[in-house]
Amino acid sequence: ALAHGDPDPEAKDSIQLVADRLRDTLLDGIHALPSFRSPSQFSSLEIRPEYLIQGAKDPFILTTLLAKLGQALNTQAVIVDLRAGLSELSAGLLLDPRVYRVLVTTLSSQSINGTCQLLKLLGQLAPSKTDEEPLPALIISQIPKDFLWEDIQEQLLDAAQDLQKGESEQGEAIPPIVIVDTDFDQNLLVIPDSWNEVLERLKQSALFKQINTLKDWLPSTSVGEDSTNISEADIKHKRGELSKFAESLIFAETANIDDFLTISPLRYLASDFSSKVPIAVIVGAKGAGKTYTFLQVVRRKHWQRFAQATGIKEIPLNALVCPILQSASLQVKAQTIVERTRQETTEALGLHAQYDPQKIKYYLRDRLKKDLHEGQWREIWLNIIAWSAGFAVDNDDAGQNFAKYLHNRDQYIVVVMDGLEDIFRKLASRESEQTALRALIQDVPEWLEQQPYRSIGLLVFVRQDMVRNAVTQNSAQLMAKYGPYALKWNSGEALRLVRWVTQKAGALDNDNLAEAVLQSLGKEELVNELVPLWGRKLGSERSREGRSAEWIVLALSDYKGQIQARDLVRLLHEAAQSSIKDTHWKDRLLVPTAIRTAIGECSKAKIEEIRSENPVLKVVFTKLTELQDNKKQIPFTREQVSLEIDDLKILEDNGVVLREGEEYYMPEIFRLGLGFTLKTGKRPRVLSLARRAQKSG
């Protein structure tokens, strides 16, 4: 009303008058501006929105007035509480794409239908056309415990498709709305009159924590784009150092790094076997860090030293490390480390004979030509363990006598094996190879555990798909037994790895975190730690782009909720390398466009590496890449891609696809490398499935 009668088009006097009146209304940091001056005005409205905008150049003058009023009061935000639905009074704010619009709904059918209609209307009349116009957020309120509402979520996402009209660098990875779910809380059904009582009740609920996820959707009030600017020379140097260090981590075979990040599987391994030699099968997907961990164990030569490196201080048992098999792709430096450890262990055991590792491979390949059962293979493996340590070389009863020899000398060893894929090249189809590997990961550990001396430990690093091929009947039971030691990276561990890499590379200014402090950081704390690396968002603070950390983790994850260490460090290398020449972004090391490009490079490299090491997946990948372009779209049906049921089962088991009804979806880390595109309107489903996989993983 004041603005309507103000001769100044910008209503400066009206704004100042209202600001002066509101200064004394501050309560708990909040100014309250009433909608009406008296209750009578509520039922008899004299000034309507259409009157306000008559003659005004700004059709959203109400938004402008409220924003300027907030500036005059030096507030961080202006929150306008509108009535449910769309009315003449609320239209001026809801239809302004500059406003951060938050829609709240329950899961009732009427509420969801109404919300969908409103989302469609906003998409038609007020879509976000530029990077500075935020996409809306949606709060699903009062969700009952264990209620499955994914279909409702998809209904809302589909209704919001038209909200995003502009072109975005992030492309298909942007969700059309931000969705936050809040649990049912009967204590919030009836709100008391007292403001203090309301606050106390809210603090006792989970609502604060759940709504807190919206803070990264809102523009930051504390982190400006220029607040952490780095000089051009310094930022170029840091990007180069990060690229160089990350590149050295991509392939463990180089053995250039003598340190490692202690993730939970390694802590469990060291803790569970602090007083007895470890006997475990370390399962991990390709790129999870099996060879890297193998080399870190071998480097330390004693199990006690490795366990202490994970943070376990009290290790009463000490055992020599004896590497037997290793990856054929190890480079000279890594081979030297393995050979030196094997030689020193042999000498420490009072033995002198050396058994050539290459001779072991020839011996195994010769035995694979014969029809042997598990019991015979168990004896073969036990003999190889003894021979490799230099005990009774070529003697057929060496394996049975080696444990007693160690016991008499009061010595212990931990045998470590890696590179099994170099020996079992036809594991999926060759029964003799399946029998041999099954004996190694089932019969040998069982025999060692039953020995009264327990002087021989065994760590076998093996790919997950190889375990499934060798142990066809109860592979799940086997992997569950050794599940705590499996090299799996969830989103929290993934972010911790990124922070560890940046620290070792000296890429960030806050690089003085102690190991214990790094391990204690929660997920949100890690996200904040990495803001100087890649920004809070993949764009400016006020952009509508997604959160950098979440987007990167989702883009690199498969549909088993897993993300591989190699993909992470490769992304850091590629993105840092591509960011070196950038002069625009000075508040972060990794440039948004470089990150997006790096995702595609990571996907291509991942596909090629899987082709070279996984013959079963290679066959299916070949079928997919040879499809015509018009058939390489997601989602797809089995008939569309001409795959057999067994082929799709292989893809599902490896997290490459996920079935929803009759359609199959594919995560970004595989989709880009295989050359698949997304069908129009299918973006939200891909994102929600990726988030679901992260939660289940």
Side-chain angles (χ1 to χ4, degrees):
L2 289 171
H4 183 67
D6 197 323
D8 183 356
E10 297 186 4
K12 293 180 180 179
D13 291 339
S14 299
I15 292 169
Q16 190 59 49
L17 174 62
V18 176
D20 292 340
R21 297 290 181 88
L22 286 182
R23 293 192 194 281
D24 295 333
T25 68
L26 191 66
L27 176 64
D28 290 338
I30 299 173
H31 292 282
L33 174 65
S35 298
F36 304 97
R37 286 177 292 175
S38 66
S40 61
Q41 286 185 306
F42 182 76
S43 59
S44 169
L45 186 61
E46 298 176 356
I47 303 298
R48 299 183 179 276
E50 56 265 33
Y51 299 159
L52 271 179
I53 63 173
Q54 282 183 356
K57 295 180 180 179
D58 183 3
F60 300 111
I61 191 172
L62 181 59
T63 304
T64 304
L65 289 171
L66 291 173
K68 289 183 177 180
L69 176 59
Q71 292 172 351
L73 289 168
N74 196 31
T75 61
Q76 290 184 319
V78 176
I79 302 173
V80 184
D81 183 18
L82 301 177
R83 59 166 292 178
L86 187 65
S87 65
E88 295 89 343
L89 288 173
S90 62
L93 287 161
L94 281 176
L95 297 179
D96 188 343
R98 300 172 301 173
V99 174
Y100 284 77
R101 296 161 288 187
V102 185
L103 310 180
V104 184
T105 181
T106 63
L107 291 175
S108 68
S109 177
Q110 186 179 25
S111 297
I112 294 298
N113 290 336
T115 303
C116 287
Q117 291 179 15
L118 181 55
L119 288 170
K120 290 178 181 178
L121 182 63
L122 294 180
Q124 295 170 6
L125 301 179
S128 298
K129 297 180 179 179
T130 68
D131 194 50
E132 298 297 321
E133 295 177 348
L135 296 164
L138 183 62
I139 297 176
I140 311 294
S141 179
Q142 302 283 355
I143 299 178
K145 185 179 180 180
D146 299 327
F147 183 82
L148 300 177
W149 58 285
E150 283 79 3
D151 290 340
I152 295 177
Q153 182 181 14
E154 295 307 321
Q155 183 181 348
L156 292 163
L157 288 169
D158 288 341
Q161 278 299 298
D162 291 338
L163 277 164
Q164 185 180 332
K165 291 295 188 183
E167 293 296 327
S168 168
E169 294 179 359
Q170 194 171 330
E172 59 208 18
I174 301 179
I177 50 176
V178 177
I179 296 182
V180 176
D181 53 289
T182 63
D183 299 333
F184 173 79
D185 190 339
Q186 62 180 6
N187 293 321
L188 300 179
L189 288 178
V190 180
I191 298 297
D193 289 336
S194 168
W195 172 246
N196 291 332
E197 290 181 26
V198 171
L199 283 181
E200 189 62 31
R201 192 170 295 187
L202 286 172
K203 290 176 182 177
Q204 294 174 358
S205 72
L207 190 61
F208 271 5
K209 183 178 180 180
Q210 293 165 329
I211 296 297
N212 196 42
T213 57
L214 281 178
K215 73 178 187 299
D216 290 308
W217 167 72
L218 292 166
S220 173
T221 57
S222 58
V223 182
E225 290 180 42
D226 298 325
S227 61
T228 57
N229 277 0
I230 311 171
S231 68
E232 184 173 338
D234 194 29
I235 199 170
K236 184 176 181 179
H237 172 74
K238 287 179 179 292
R239 287 167 176 168
E241 289 299 305
L242 177 58
S243 174
K244 181 180 177 181
F245 183 78
E247 185 179 26
S248 70
L249 290 170
I250 294 176
F251 296 105
E253 291 84 352
T254 59
N256 289 325
I257 308 300
D258 59 1
D259 199 1
F260 65 95
L261 173 69
T262 304
I263 59 176
S264 54
L266 300 183
R267 286 196 299 274
Y268 289 139
L269 184 67
S271 177
D272 290 351
F273 298 103
S274 60
S275 59
K276 57 184 178 181
V277 290
I279 298 175
V281 177
I282 313 298
V283 179
K286 180 171 177 56
K290 296 184 299 299
T291 298
Y292 188 86
T293 307
F294 165 84
L295 284 174
Q296 295 303 329
V297 175
V298 173
R299 273 179 181 276
R300 283 153 181 82
K301 302 178 182 179
H302 293 78
W303 173 248
Q304 185 182 45
R305 295 175 187 171
F306 176 79
Q308 288 173 339
T310 67
I312 309 299
K313 301 303 180 184
E314 298 297 327
I315 310 292
L317 173 74
N318 194 13
L320 297 164
V321 171
C322 183
I324 292 183
L325 295 172
Q326 69 259 15
S327 172
S329 59
L330 289 185
Q331 295 187 13
V332 175
K333 183 178 180 180
Q335 290 177 3
T336 302
I337 292 172
V338 174
E339 291 169 4
R340 185 182 298 123
T341 297
R342 185 187 298 114
Q343 182 178 355
E344 291 183 14
T345 294
T346 299
E347 294 174 356
L349 293 175
L351 302 168
H352 303 286
Q354 292 292 321
Y355 197 71
D356 186 2
Q358 197 62 37
K359 186 177 178 181
I360 295 177
K361 294 183 179 181
Y362 292 143
Y363 177 78
L364 288 172
R365 287 168 184 166
D366 178 67
R367 292 300 181 272
L368 286 170
K369 298 175 183 177
K370 301 179 180 180
D371 185 19
L372 304 176
H373 56 71
E374 278 91 341
Q376 292 171 305
W377 270 109
R378 184 194 68 191
E379 296 304 312
I380 289 173
W381 287 116
L382 291 174
N383 285 335
I384 288 175
I385 289 174
W387 298 342
S388 298
F391 178 80
V393 174
D394 292 329
N395 194 322
D396 288 338
D397 60 357
Q400 294 288 341
N401 297 324
F402 187 40
K404 185 176 180 180
Y405 173 84
L406 292 171
H407 175 67
N408 292 337
R409 292 177 57 88
D410 194 24
Q411 287 183 300
Y412 301 87
I413 69 167
V414 177
V415 174
V416 286
M417 296 186 182
D418 186 37
L420 294 172
E421 60 274 7
D422 299 324
I423 298 172
F424 302 115
R425 297 175 180 271
K426 299 180 180 179
L427 185 65
S429 58
R430 194 173 177 184
E431 189 174 344
S432 62
E433 293 190 6
Q434 295 169 6
T435 304
L437 182 56
R438 188 162 56 248
L440 175 62
I441 61 180
Q442 280 189 320
D443 293 21
V444 174
E446 183 179 342
W447 188 89
L448 292 174
E449 289 171 348
Q450 292 175 350
Q451 297 310 297
Y453 313 131
R454 187 155 177 154
S455 52
I456 302 175
L458 176 66
L459 296 179
V460 180
F461 293 87
V462 61
R463 286 206 320 257
Q464 185 171 290
D465 60 287
M466 294 179 68
V467 174
R468 288 200 183 100
N469 285 327
V471 186
T472 55
Q473 292 186 343
N474 55 353
S475 60
Q477 181 180 351
L478 176 70
M479 287 191 283
K481 177 181 178 180
Y482 300 114
Y485 321 127
L487 294 177
K488 292 183 178 181
W489 299 79
N490 57 31
S491 57
E493 297 284 13
L495 295 177
R496 204 180 315 280
L497 175 63
V498 173
R499 183 63 184 86
W500 181 83
V501 172
T502 59
Q503 179 161 314
K504 293 298 178 181
L508 300 180
D509 292 333
N510 54 342
D511 275 341
N512 55 352
L513 287 180
E515 176 74 14
V517 176
L518 178 60
Q519 294 296 339
S520 67
L521 294 178
K523 185 176 177 180
E524 285 303 315
E525 292 173 312
L526 287 166
V527 169
N528 292 331
E529 281 281 326
L530 293 172
V531 169
L533 172 68
W534 49 38
R536 198 170 299 277
K537 296 181 178 181
L538 279 179
S540 65
E541 283 291 337
R542 289 188 170 272
S543 73
R544 66 185 185 190
E545 303 292 348
R547 296 175 64 187
S548 299
E550 181 188 22
W551 187 87
I552 290 169
V553 169
L554 286 177
L556 292 178
S557 297
D558 63 22
Y559 276 154
K560 293 292 184 181
Q562 297 181 53
I563 182 170
Q564 303 308 335
R566 182 179 296 173
D567 295 331
L568 272 170
V569 295
R570 179 179 278 120
L571 177 132
L572 293 176
H573 161 63
E574 295 283 352
Q577 184 68 31
S578 300
S579 300
I580 290 177
K581 295 182 180 180
D582 178 82
T583 57
H584 172 71
W585 296 93
K586 294 184 174 127
D587 67 330
R588 64 192 71 184
L589 293 184
L590 303 185
V591 177
T593 52
I595 292 175
R596 297 185 188 100
T597 302
I599 295 292
E601 295 302 316
C602 289
S603 180
K604 293 175 184 176
K606 188 179 185 75
I607 297 300
E608 289 306 311
E609 288 167 3
I610 291 175
R611 283 176 181 270
S612 66
E613 288 196 11
N614 193 325
V616 177
L617 269 179
K618 177 183 179 180
V619 173
V620 186
F621 281 177
T622 300
K623 293 179 182 179
L624 291 175
T625 52
E626 290 178 351
L627 288 171
Q628 296 178 355
D629 289 343
N630 62 347
K631 292 185 177 182
K632 296 168 70 172
Q633 292 185 322
I634 297 173
F636 59 79
T637 62
R638 185 171 72 87
E639 293 74 19
Q640 178 185 331
V641 294
S642 303
L643 291 181
E644 301 296 329
I645 295 177
D646 289 343
D647 292 335
L648 288 168
K649 181 66 167 56
I650 292 169
L651 294 177
E652 286 187 88
D653 288 343
N654 286 275
V656 181
V657 299
L658 184 65
R659 181 177 178 177
E660 284 286 298
E662 296 300 317
E663 295 182 323
Y664 291 86
Y665 291 79
M666 188 180 294
E668 298 291 280
I669 190 61
F670 291 108
R671 180 184 72 80
L672 296 171
L674 291 171
F676 275 69
T677 58
L678 291 170
K679 290 181 181 178
T680 305
K682 292 299 181 181
R683 169 178 52 218
R685 197 62 175 164
V686 173
L687 285 165
S688 63
L689 290 174
R691 289 192 175 94
R692 188 193 306 177
Q694 277 293 323
K695 290 180 180 179
S696 63

